[in-house]
């Protein structure tokens, strides 16, 4: 996993957490949903990158 992708995914996750909390504080459900979506999306992208790396390291990728 490249460092730039890791940073990008973590930034998206952090942005989502901040947006979600801002929505919670202001009682804005749309902001909460948008923040939750960003957070989950960043986490999923990060997990996918980790899975790709695991297959690359083990050499058990598709042939």
């Amino acid at each position: 996993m490249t460092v730039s992708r890791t940073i990008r995914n973590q930034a998206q996750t952090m942005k989502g957490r901040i947006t979600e909390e801002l929505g919670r504080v202001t009682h804005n459900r749309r902001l909460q949903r948008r923040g939750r979506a960003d957070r989950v999306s960043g986490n999923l992208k990060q997990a996918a990158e980790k899975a790709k790396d695991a297959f690359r390291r083990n050499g058990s990728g598709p042939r």
Side-chain angles (χ1 to χ4, degrees):
M1 171 173 10
T2 63
V3 175
S4 64
R5 283 187 185 166
T6 301
I7 292 171
R8 190 178 328 141
N9 294 339
Q10 287 178 348
Q12 183 177 7
T13 302
M14 187 58 68
K15 177 186 158 206
R17 284 185 181 156
I18 292 168
T19 306
E20 186 177 6
E21 189 61 32
L22 182 63
R24 191 172 293 134
V25 168
T26 60
H27 302 290
N28 187 333
R29 289 182 182 225
R30 184 179 293 167
L31 265 180
Q32 281 180 312
R33 284 192 305 264
R34 191 178 301 155
R36 190 175 301 123
D38 276 346
R39 183 174 49 87
V40 169
S41 178
N43 285 336
L44 286 174
K45 288 178 184 177
Q46 191 74 3
E49 289 295 323
K50 286 181 182 180
K52 282 184 199 176
D53 285 346
F55 278 107
R56 284 188 196 130
R57 272 189 248 123
N58 291 335
S60 44
R63 294 181 183 177

